[in-house]
Amino acid sequence: MNVTDERLDHGSPDGVGGLFARTAALDAAVARFASAQLGPLPVPLVFVALVYLANLAINVVSNPPPGFDDRQQLAEMGWWAWGYSGVQPPLHTWLIKLVDLVVESDIAAIYVTRFTVLFLLATTLYRIGRELQLSRQGAAAAALGLFLMPTVGWEAQRTFSHSLSGMLFTALFQLAFLVLLRRRTTGTYVLAGSSAALAVLGKYNSLVALAGSAAAGIALPAVRRALRVRGLFAAAVAFLAILAAPLFWLAAGRIETLDDSADKFGFHGTGSLLHDRLTGLADFAFQTLAYCGPLLGVALAAAFLARLDGRAVRGAFGRLGPETRYLATAIGASFALALLLVLASGTTELKGYWFHPILITLPAAVAAILEVYDRTGWANRLIVFCGALLALASIVAFVIRTSGIGS
C-alpha cells in the first residue's frame, strides 16, 4: 500500500497536508514495522516481547522491594487451594506456582508470570485484530494500543496479580467468541465457555465483561442468528465444570468475608444519597479517563487529522463488520453495567484496575473503527508509533525505578 498517496481527497500542500508530506518517511517506516514478519512472527509482537524481556531482566537483576500484591502472592504461593485471601480467585496464584516449578525462585516466578501474561495479552489483542479482518497494521495497533492505556502499559508491568489473569482470559474469551461467530463447531463453543470460566477464575469482576458480551449477543441480530442452542449448552457445561469446585469453596462460608473488602468501595461515603452518586459518577469518569484517555485521545486526534486532510471515509461507521459491532457493543454494555452498579450501590471510590475486564479489548475495537474510517491506515500507524514510544519509555521508567524513584 502506498502510505502517502492513497487518499480519498487531496489536502492542501500547506497545513495538515504539509504535515503529512513532511512525516511521510517516518510514516513509511512505521508501516514497514507494523506489517513486517520475522519468519512466522509479526515484528510488532517481537518488539513487545523484547520490551517485556528487558523490563523482566531489570526487575530480576535490580530486585526492588516487592509491592503489596507481590507480597501477598509470596505469602500464598506455598500451597494449592481453590481460592486465596478470603475470596480471591485461584488462577493467577496457580500460574505463579507452575512457573516457580521451573525458575525455582518465588519472586522471579512472580515477575516471569506477570510479563508472560502481558505478552500473551498483546498477542491475544493482535489475534483479535486479525479475527476482525484487520490488516497487519490494524492488528499491530490493537496490540501496541495497550501501551496507551497507562494502567496496563505501565502499572500492570509494575504491580497487580489476579487482575492480570482476569484481563488476559477476558480477552481470550472475546477472541474465542469472535472465532465462534465464524466457525460454529462444538469445540469452539467449549473453548468459549472454558475461557469465560478461566476469566472468572482470574478475577471475579470478569463477570461484568461476560454479562456485557451476553447483552451484545442478545441485542445484535447477526450474533443471535449465529448462535446455536446445543453449542451454548456445551459452552455452559464447560463453564460450570471448570468453576464448580472453586464456587463450592467460595460458598462454603467464605462469601461473608466480602465485608472485609467493603472499605475499598467507599459505600455511602458522604452520607448523602445524591452526593454519593455524584461522587461515584465523578470518580468513575476520572478513572475511565485515567485508564484509556491517552488511547482515545490519540485515536480522536488521528480521526480529526484524517478528516481535515480528506482521508476520512464518509459513512464509515455504517460499514463496520458484524464482528466489530459485537466487540464494540460488548465493551459498551459492560461499561454501562459497571456504571449502573456504581450508581446503584453508592460506591464513591473506584480503582483503575477494576476496568481491566471491561476495557481491555478497547484497543482492538478502536483499531477496527480507525481502519474503516481511514483506509490509508495512517490513523492506526499513529497508534502504533505512539504505543511503541511508550513501550520504550516503560524501559526507561524501570531503569529509573532501580534508583528508588517511583518505587
Side-chain angles (χ1 to χ4, degrees):
M1 178 178 67
N2 188 317
V3 298
T4 59
D5 296 331
E6 181 184 335
R7 296 161 55 173
L8 298 180
D9 298 301
H10 295 283
S12 65
D14 301 317
V16 175
L19 173 66
F20 282 121
R22 288 191 295 273
T23 59
L26 177 60
D27 185 37
V30 174
R32 290 193 296 271
F33 166 78
S35 302
Q37 296 274 123
L38 187 63
L41 302 175
V43 165
L45 290 182
V46 174
F47 170 79
V48 171
L50 292 175
V51 168
Y52 285 149
L53 281 172
N55 289 339
L56 170 61
I58 293 169
N59 272 268
V60 171
V61 171
S62 64
N63 193 25
F68 174 80
D69 289 316
D70 293 344
R71 292 197 303 272
Q72 186 181 61
Q73 290 301 313
L74 287 171
E76 294 173 346
M77 61 186 292
W79 68 95
W80 296 95
W82 291 117
Y84 297 90
S85 298
V87 295
Q88 287 286 10
L91 180 58
H92 195 73
T93 305
W94 291 350
L95 294 177
I96 293 173
K97 288 178 65 61
L98 290 173
V99 172
D100 193 40
L101 295 176
V102 178
V103 302
E104 297 182 341
S105 167
D106 290 354
I107 190 64
I110 291 172
Y111 294 150
V112 170
T113 304
R114 172 174 295 138
F115 287 104
T116 300
V117 165
L118 288 172
F119 174 69
L120 291 175
L121 175 62
T123 302
T124 301
L125 267 289
Y126 188 94
R127 289 305 314 162
I128 287 176
R130 296 299 279 171
E131 199 62 35
L132 294 174
Q133 302 183 66
L134 302 188
S135 65
R136 288 178 181 173
Q137 294 180 27
L144 287 166
L146 288 171
F147 291 97
L148 290 168
M149 299 196 299
T151 309
V152 183
W154 164 245
E155 194 69 11
Q157 293 192 64
R158 191 179 65 84
T159 184
F160 300 145
S161 53
H162 305 285
S163 295
L164 295 168
S165 293
M167 63 182 175
L168 169 61
F169 287 99
T170 299
L172 279 171
F173 163 73
Q174 295 294 6
L175 175 58
F177 195 91
L178 289 168
V179 172
L180 174 63
L181 294 179
R182 293 181 180 278
R183 294 179 284 280
R184 294 182 290 276
T185 65
T186 300
T188 54
Y189 277 103
V190 171
L191 177 62
S194 299
S195 56
L198 292 173
V200 175
L201 286 185
K203 192 73 173 176
Y204 290 133
N205 69 344
S206 296
L207 286 168
V208 177
L210 300 181
S213 295
I218 294 171
L220 297 174
V223 177
R224 289 201 308 271
R225 288 193 297 269
L227 299 178
R228 301 291 181 266
V229 174
R230 290 180 60 183
L232 290 175
F233 179 76
V237 169
F239 180 80
L240 293 174
I242 292 173
L243 286 180
L247 288 180
F248 180 80
W249 175 90
L250 188 64
R254 293 178 177 85
I255 289 291
E256 60 203 36
T257 63
L258 281 171
D259 293 340
D260 299 337
S261 302
D263 290 341
K264 290 183 179 180
F265 296 85
F267 289 129
H268 314 298
T270 69
S272 165
L273 182 67
L274 178 60
H275 197 190
D276 283 342
R277 272 62 187 177
L278 291 176
T279 300
L281 179 62
D283 201 27
F284 190 90
F286 172 78
Q287 295 295 343
T288 300
L289 289 175
Y291 193 95
C292 60
L295 172 65
L296 294 180
V298 172
L300 289 173
F304 179 70
L305 290 174
R307 180 79 174 181
L308 286 181
D309 194 54
R311 295 169 179 248
V313 176
R314 295 181 180 87
F317 298 113
R319 305 183 186 186
L320 294 175
E323 296 84 6
T324 300
R325 290 178 183 276
Y326 157 74
L327 186 60
T329 303
I331 294 170
S334 57
F335 185 81
L337 176 58
L339 176 58
L340 180 62
L341 290 172
V342 167
L343 296 178
S345 66
T347 299
T348 59
E349 298 178 18
L350 283 86
K351 308 296 182 183
Y353 59 83
W354 292 352
F355 287 88
H356 279 329
I358 300 168
L359 297 175
I360 197 60
T361 54
L362 185 62
V366 167
I369 292 170
L370 288 179
E371 183 151 302
V372 172
Y373 188 76
D374 178 6
R375 287 183 181 172
T376 70
W378 178 85
N380 270 331
R381 290 195 293 275
L382 182 62
I383 297 284
V384 170
F385 176 73
C386 293
L389 284 183
L390 288 177
L392 294 173
S394 74
I395 299 177
V396 176
F398 269 111
V399 171
I400 294 174
R401 186 171 175 251
T402 61
S403 65
I405 301 174
S407 298

